[in-house]
Amino acid sequence: MVRVDGKGSGALVEIRSLDKKYRRGGEEIDVLRGLNLDVDTGEFIAFMGPSGSGKTTLLNLIGGLDNPSSGMVRIAGDEISKLSGRKLAAWRARHIGFIFQMYNLIPVLTAFQNVQLPLLLTSLSKAERRKHVEAALDLVGLTDRMHHYPRQLSGGQEQRVAIARAIVADPSILLCDEPTGDLDRAAGDEILDIISRLSKEFKKTIFLVTHDPVAAKRAGTLLHLDKGTLLECTADGQFACKPEDSGK
Amino acid sequence: MKFLHLVFLNLRRKRTRTALTLGSFLVSLFLFGILMTIKTALGSGVDVAGADRLVVRNRVSLIQPLPFAYRDRILQVPHVREATFASWFGGYYQNMKNFFPNFAIDVERYRLVYPEYKFSDEEWRAFVEDREGCVISPPLAKKFGWKIGDRIPLEATIWGGTWEFNVRAIYETDRKELTSPELWFHYDYLDERRAFYKGLVGWYIVKIDDPANAVEAAAAIDDRFANSPWESKTETEKAFAAGFANQIGNIRLLILSIGSVVFFTLLLVTGNTMASAVRERTGELAVLKTIGMNDATVLFLVMAESIVVAVIGGGAGLALAKLFTLRGDPTGGMLPNFYLAGRSLGLGFVLALAAGAAAGILPALGAMRLKIVDALRRV
């Protein structure tokens, strides 16, 4: 279930009265205003909206990369806005997988080593790490490229490595910030297929930020962000309801 | 430690830059090693000086002599237990490149004042009984392949002519700093054969009962010869050796100045390298933080990179310096104790580590404080 009216309870992701302000050139900008969101485990949500509407900011707040100006973000029972930097880093490693538009792989590491990075923060043995990395690379169909460096891979392959890196530690939530934004349609579709599979087969909770309506259609729920406020959309892209009476 | 391979991989990204930074550490620590070796060589007299020994020399300068007759008068001074003397000979073997320190000594008492030099009684007796006999140090024996019984000709720079000596003893000592290439022979042989300065000696070495009485004894000796044609200046052996070393300038200040400049330059070079490296990898650092790496680990990664460069470059520089000094004194006798001491190596290593840490700390703090959101926006 996904709600944007702030009336849900016990969801995997609970966001209440979330405000985010930025100060730029002496001027205060309200990016997010009193935002509410409840998301249950296994949901696949797409955020759309014009540039500057706060999509990436919302993703960063859910992922604990940024702190809200006010309000609350509670994920799996942890109020992450109150965690210290060290605890938040450990929490991210355990719960969140990130997929970026520009892949952000480490160029001096092979695909295998890039995917292995999150596991280096765990207590897994070398053999266990290898097993996890091979499984993740197998899931994205890149076992034959595991010893290649990012410069030896295509954009689509790089993004698949990035997905493997995001899922290798088996996080419950995947945050995807325009994962197909730098790819052609065919490569983009491959990436979306993998993300859809992660949602359906592996019950990952996925938040996808995109400008692409085709990509957004893969999601079970499409939310529109405009002027810092969330609106739920129908399948044809129309706003179905006001935030205060939304529920699914 | 799991991330250590990342440190080495990062160093391989810009190989030329890494090589240049390593090179600056190498050259700096090599220079440091050589300077420390020179300092040790010049100050070796200070290190070996006995706390209970005084040196009496002519008040005017070390070059001016003192009368042989002073020995018995010095022995009468309160707190003095023993007194002996030596004179600079200034000879060389075959050509000036083979110059080494050689002295005419007071055979009767020299051994009593310098017990740290060990001899077999048999060899010492042979030396005492042969007026043309000489004692050599192990490094001198090794350098020219001399052995007991060899007859050695030395050219005398001050007294003129060729002087021949019979090797009668090779001393032994446990202290490395005492084993410089040198030769001692009978003062009587020198005084008999030289044409001038007869009855004069270079300086006296006085053993006193207690180091605490050094000032009193020194003052008493100088008082005894005050207002005479041969006034004396008495000081502790350590002060004498330090003064001798300082004749060519304040070595400590010189080394400190050069060392400081080198250290500061290293900081700038390495600091700039690390700052550039962190700036280039802002996005990657943000990704590492995003996947859960905490601030302390990020700090460690950047610091480790800087320290690894310092350890490899500095270690190589010190190793080269050690290899260089293993060849021995490059000046042909001016710096007899030319070796890089373990203590200097340790100090050099600590300095390299400190330079690496100091150069890395600001970029590392910058990386640690990096806000993920801001950094990702720059990618």
Side-chain angles (χ1 to χ4, degrees):
Chain A
M1 187 192 74
V2 177
R3 296 180 70 103
V4 295
D5 59 359
K7 291 175 182 168
S9 68
L12 175 70
V13 177
E14 290 177 79
I15 296 174
R16 292 288 177 274
S17 308
L18 189 68
D19 284 338
K20 183 65 187 176
K21 300 180 198 317
Y22 284 119
R23 187 164 278 282
R24 200 168 291 158
E27 191 186 348
E28 200 165 71
I29 302 164
D30 288 327
V31 183
L32 299 175
R33 286 183 293 192
L35 193 142
N36 295 306
L37 181 65
D38 289 85
V39 177
D40 278 340
T41 302
E43 294 287 350
F44 184 177
I45 299 139
F47 294 119
M48 289 192 77
S51 294
S53 59
K55 304 182 298 293
T56 299
T57 301
L58 177 58
L59 216 59
N60 290 339
L61 289 167
I62 294 171
L65 301 184
D66 205 354
N67 293 316
S69 303
S70 66
M72 184 270 288
V73 179
R74 182 184 290 137
I75 295 174
D78 295 317
E79 196 169 334
I80 61 167
S81 42
K82 289 186 176 169
L83 293 177
S84 67
R86 194 180 182 84
K87 283 184 178 167
L88 194 57
W91 176 87
R92 268 199 308 272
R94 205 167 56 247
H95 292 287
I96 306 286
F98 289 88
I99 302 165
F100 305 98
Q101 180 181 354
M102 299 307 295
Y103 335 128
N104 289 352
L105 300 178
I106 309 287
V108 291
L109 300 180
T110 62
F112 182 95
Q113 291 167 328
N114 265 290
V115 175
Q116 189 185 219
L117 273 175
L119 299 182
L120 296 179
L121 300 164
T122 68
S123 56
L124 291 176
S125 69
K126 198 174 174 183
E128 288 170 320
R129 290 203 302 267
R130 169 167 282 279
K131 208 170 123 189
H132 280 72
V133 172
E134 284 172 354
L137 283 168
D138 183 47
L139 201 146
V140 298
L142 275 182
T143 42
D144 57 333
R145 295 278 195 276
M146 67 166 74
H147 299 303
H148 286 59
Y149 287 91
R151 65 177 180 277
Q152 298 167 321
L153 300 172
S154 68
Q157 288 170 332
E158 280 195 74
Q159 192 61 296
R160 280 149 68 189
V161 174
I163 293 174
R165 181 179 65 188
I167 60 171
V168 72
D170 195 25
S172 48
I173 298 170
L174 284 180
L175 303 178
C176 316
D177 194 358
E178 302 201 42
T180 58
D182 197 48
L183 301 174
D184 59 32
R185 174 57 63 198
D189 283 345
E190 281 178 12
I191 296 303
L192 291 170
D193 286 345
I194 295 170
I195 292 174
S196 299
R197 197 177 153 212
L198 289 170
S199 169
K200 286 174 186 153
E201 281 182 39
F202 297 90
K203 304 296 175 205
K204 300 288 177 197
T205 306
I206 297 172
F207 294 88
L208 171 74
V209 164
T210 182
H211 281 108
D212 178 9
V214 177
K217 276 186 182 169
R218 301 284 191 122
T221 306
L222 175 59
L223 297 175
H224 190 88
L225 252 171
D226 192 22
K227 294 174 185 170
T229 311
L230 269 180
L231 301 167
E232 196 173 355
C233 302
T234 58
D236 60 0
Q238 300 301 306
F239 303 131
C241 46
K242 298 283 182 193
E244 51 271 18
D245 59 12
S246 178
K248 185 180 175 226
Chain B
M1 292 310 260
K2 291 179 193 168
F3 290 99
L4 211 55
H5 74 288
L6 197 55
V7 171
F8 286 98
L9 287 172
N10 283 334
L11 287 173
R12 286 167 54 187
R13 286 178 195 233
K14 305 263 180 180
R15 291 175 192 219
T16 307
R17 186 172 66 190
T18 302
L20 290 173
T21 315
L22 281 170
S24 57
F25 266 97
L26 186 146
V27 171
S28 303
L29 269 297
F30 175 77
L31 181 65
F32 172 85
I34 298 301
L35 285 174
M36 287 304 286
T37 303
I38 294 170
K39 178 177 173 284
T40 305
L42 289 171
S44 58
V46 180
D47 295 333
V48 302
D52 61 348
R53 285 195 293 251
L54 305 179
V55 174
V56 185
R57 64 172 175 86
N58 191 298
R59 187 168 203 82
V60 177
S61 90
L62 184 60
I63 301 168
Q64 300 298 316
L66 290 169
F68 168 76
Y70 275 14
R71 186 180 67 176
D72 292 340
R73 294 178 66 189
I74 290 171
L75 281 167
Q76 293 165 7
V77 171
H79 304 300
V80 171
R81 288 281 168 270
E82 200 54 72
T84 188
F85 58 82
S87 286
W88 180 252
F89 180 64
Y92 61 86
Y93 176 63
Q94 293 180 336
N95 64 61
M96 276 299 281
K97 282 185 181 171
N98 292 331
F99 174 83
F100 56 87
N102 33 70
F103 309 94
I105 64 161
D106 168 18
V107 174
E108 232 177 284
R109 295 174 183 271
Y110 205 73
R111 200 179 170 194
L112 302 174
V113 177
Y114 286 108
E116 52 266 52
Y117 297 104
K118 315 279 187 215
F119 304 86
S120 72
D121 287 342
E122 189 188 339
E123 285 186 8
W124 181 255
R125 205 178 312 116
F127 167 60
V128 172
E129 287 171 0
D130 181 0
R131 200 175 181 77
E132 293 182 7
C134 71
V135 171
I136 60 173
S137 66
L140 193 62
K142 188 179 171 191
K143 186 173 181 183
F144 297 117
W146 292 341
K147 53 190 184 303
I148 304 285
D150 283 356
R151 189 154 176 84
I152 303 164
L154 291 188
E155 299 302 321
T157 53
I158 303 170
W159 318 107
T162 302
W163 296 53
E164 294 196 341
F165 304 94
N166 304 313
V167 178
R168 293 296 177 209
I170 299 174
Y171 69 65
E172 287 176 10
T173 177
D174 300 334
R175 298 175 64 183
K176 186 181 167 117
E177 62 272 25
L178 286 172
T179 54
S180 57
E182 62 179 343
L183 178 148
W184 310 338
F185 65 97
H186 289 243
Y187 171 79
D188 291 348
Y189 181 35
L190 170 71
D191 206 44
E192 178 189 86
R193 192 173 154 182
R194 65 182 169 183
F196 52 97
Y197 268 25
K198 282 186 181 290
L200 298 173
V201 303
W203 59 90
Y204 286 95
I205 307 102
V206 175
K207 197 174 179 72
I208 54 173
D209 54 0
D210 186 343
N213 297 324
V215 175
E216 193 184 332
I221 292 168
D222 291 343
D223 281 352
R224 182 149 296 201
F225 306 121
N227 302 315
S228 75
W230 310 96
E231 286 193 311
S232 67
K233 181 182 176 184
T234 306
E235 55 197 343
T236 60
E237 194 176 37
K238 198 176 269 287
F240 172 79
F244 191 76
N246 285 339
Q247 280 182 331
I248 60 164
N250 190 335
I251 303 301
R252 188 178 291 271
L253 180 68
L254 190 71
I255 288 174
L256 195 68
S257 307
I258 296 173
S260 302
V261 170
V262 168
F263 189 79
F264 186 67
T265 310
L266 258 189
L267 280 186
L268 295 183
V269 170
T270 318
N272 182 48
T273 302
M274 291 312 301
S276 302
V278 168
R279 202 162 41 243
E280 287 162 9
R281 298 207 293 271
T282 299
E284 290 172 29
L285 290 168
V287 170
L288 291 175
K289 286 186 164 195
T290 300
I291 63 170
M293 188 179 279
N294 61 43
D295 291 346
T297 311
V298 171
L299 181 90
F300 162 79
L301 274 183
V302 179
M303 287 291 286
E305 210 170 307
S306 181
I307 288 171
V308 163
V309 169
V311 167
I312 294 175
L318 289 169
L320 275 181
K322 182 70 184 172
L323 279 177
F324 183 82
T325 56
L326 285 178
R327 295 163 53 211
D329 178 10
T331 64
M334 296 292 287
L335 299 167
N337 282 307
F338 194 80
Y339 71 96
L340 183 53
R343 198 174 47 184
S344 301
L345 275 173
L347 179 65
F349 199 72
V350 169
L351 273 178
L353 266 179
I361 189 70
L362 283 180
L365 283 173
M368 189 184 87
R369 291 175 186 147
L370 197 69
K371 288 187 79 175
I372 301 174
V373 175
D374 295 339
L376 286 175
R377 208 173 285 143
R378 281 185 243 162
V379 176

